[in-house]
Amino acid sequence: MTKANTNSQNLFDFSSYTLTIPNFIFLEAPIGYGKTFFIKELCENTLKEAKVINYPIKSKTILKSFLAELFQKEFSNIYDYYKVLEVSQEKIVFIFDEIHLLQQDEELMEFITFFLKNNFENLYFILASREKINLPYENTISSNRGLYINQTKLKINLDTLENPLTEEDKLFLAKFDGWALGIFLYLKYKNNELDFKAFQQLIESSILEFIDETPLLTSKKSFSLIYELPKFWQ
């Protein structure tokens, strides 16, 4: 088998996002499109001087308690924490990964909404979701204070891979339609880091989760083609 590069960093063209980072970034895409990896790369490279705060995605997390413990100071009004953050002038990044799981948390949604409606130069909010969320971020994005990155923008461009692909590779990977997880697992298989059975099981389980969670996606049809891949390879 041809040796293929499996370094995840080479699956993303990150350069276009490293010049100017807006204060608000919202990534919206199904499972396996590299949202979490994108955030990790952004924080470790462009925002490496900032203090990064990952909000725990737990149903029992209480925002007031989280902020009080974080800043060792308790306020009855959650918006008073913004005053502390603004006065400090320290560059701080709040990350809300899988934010779609917390849409029912009204206090958290109000906390984020307050950020969206005000201008805090030293604060950054990065949200990642598998679906649309009910937050007023449109004006923030249209005013160039925010960036919206969707499934299309996160798709992998096969031409950016380090190792050249064979025609068989291209035919196979075209069925993934830029799906990062599928491409990454395929490269692992090509690199002899996964046997065929493990590769097949991982792909099928990932696709099932993808389709079950996003039944209305137009890409569902193209993903259903992947069930034929074992026959394609036999």
Side-chain angles (χ1 to χ4, degrees):
M1 286 188 178
T2 304
K3 206 73 166 166
N5 177 31
T6 57
N7 187 336
S8 300
Q9 292 185 2
N10 293 306
L11 297 181
F12 291 86
D13 178 11
F14 201 75
S15 59
S16 60
Y17 298 105
T18 59
L19 299 178
T20 303
I21 302 300
N23 294 79
F24 175 75
I25 299 177
F26 177 44
L27 299 103
E28 181 191 341
I31 185 175
Y33 270 90
K35 300 183 297 296
T36 300
F37 175 77
F38 184 96
I39 294 172
K40 178 177 177 290
E41 286 292 290
L42 189 66
C43 291
E44 290 182 356
N45 292 278
T46 309
L47 294 172
K48 60 185 177 182
E49 303 300 326
K51 178 179 180 180
V52 176
I53 299 171
N54 284 281
Y55 189 80
I57 304 300
K58 300 175 183 175
S59 58
K60 295 182 179 180
T61 300
I62 300 173
L63 178 63
K64 281 184 180 178
S65 300
F66 175 77
L67 294 174
E69 182 178 350
L70 182 66
F71 296 104
Q72 297 296 300
K73 196 166 187 177
E74 188 171 352
F75 293 107
S76 58
N77 188 334
I78 57 173
Y79 306 117
D80 286 336
Y81 286 102
Y82 279 110
K83 297 177 183 178
V84 176
L85 291 166
E86 192 173 23
V87 169
S88 73
Q89 296 186 342
E90 181 182 10
K91 187 179 287 188
I92 299 176
V93 182
F94 279 89
I95 296 175
F96 301 90
D97 201 354
E98 307 291 352
I99 189 69
H100 58 278
L101 299 175
L102 298 176
Q103 291 192 80
Q104 304 306 315
D105 188 335
E106 294 182 5
E107 189 173 56
L108 176 61
M109 293 298 107
E110 290 173 4
F111 184 74
I112 298 174
T113 297
F114 186 84
F115 169 83
L116 292 170
K117 291 183 176 180
N118 293 274
N119 188 12
F120 301 98
E121 293 185 1
N122 63 315
L123 301 183
Y124 297 81
F125 274 35
I126 304 177
L127 282 60
S129 175
R130 296 182 187 178
E131 60 190 50
K132 288 191 177 296
I133 53 176
N134 187 25
L135 283 171
Y137 55 81
E138 290 83 1
N139 289 338
T140 303
I141 292 171
S142 62
S143 64
N144 294 323
R145 289 196 302 113
L147 177 66
Y148 173 69
I149 302 175
N150 60 13
Q151 175 181 340
T152 300
K153 292 180 180 178
L154 287 169
K155 284 183 179 181
I156 300 302
N157 181 353
L158 298 180
D159 294 333
T160 64
L161 299 181
E162 271 189 8
N163 292 54
L165 300 172
T166 65
E167 290 303 314
E168 183 183 34
D169 291 334
K170 292 178 182 178
L171 179 62
F172 186 91
L173 292 176
K175 294 177 181 287
F176 287 97
D177 192 28
W179 184 38
L181 179 59
I183 294 171
F184 181 73
L185 290 174
Y186 177 79
L187 295 180
K188 286 286 188 184
Y189 171 75
K190 291 281 288 187
N191 212 31
N192 297 320
E193 296 176 54
L194 280 177
D195 60 32
F196 179 75
K197 184 176 181 180
F199 168 76
Q200 182 180 351
Q201 290 174 341
L202 285 168
I203 288 295
E204 289 184 350
S205 63
S206 299
I207 292 169
L208 284 172
E209 184 176 0
F210 180 100
I211 292 177
D212 286 346
E213 290 192 356
T214 55
L216 300 180
L217 280 179
T218 56
S219 56
K220 176 181 176 181
K221 183 178 179 181
S222 64
F223 274 108
S224 67
L225 296 174
I226 301 177
Y227 287 117
E228 303 172 7
L229 290 181
K231 296 178 183 177
F232 169 76
W233 265 13
Q234 287 173 359

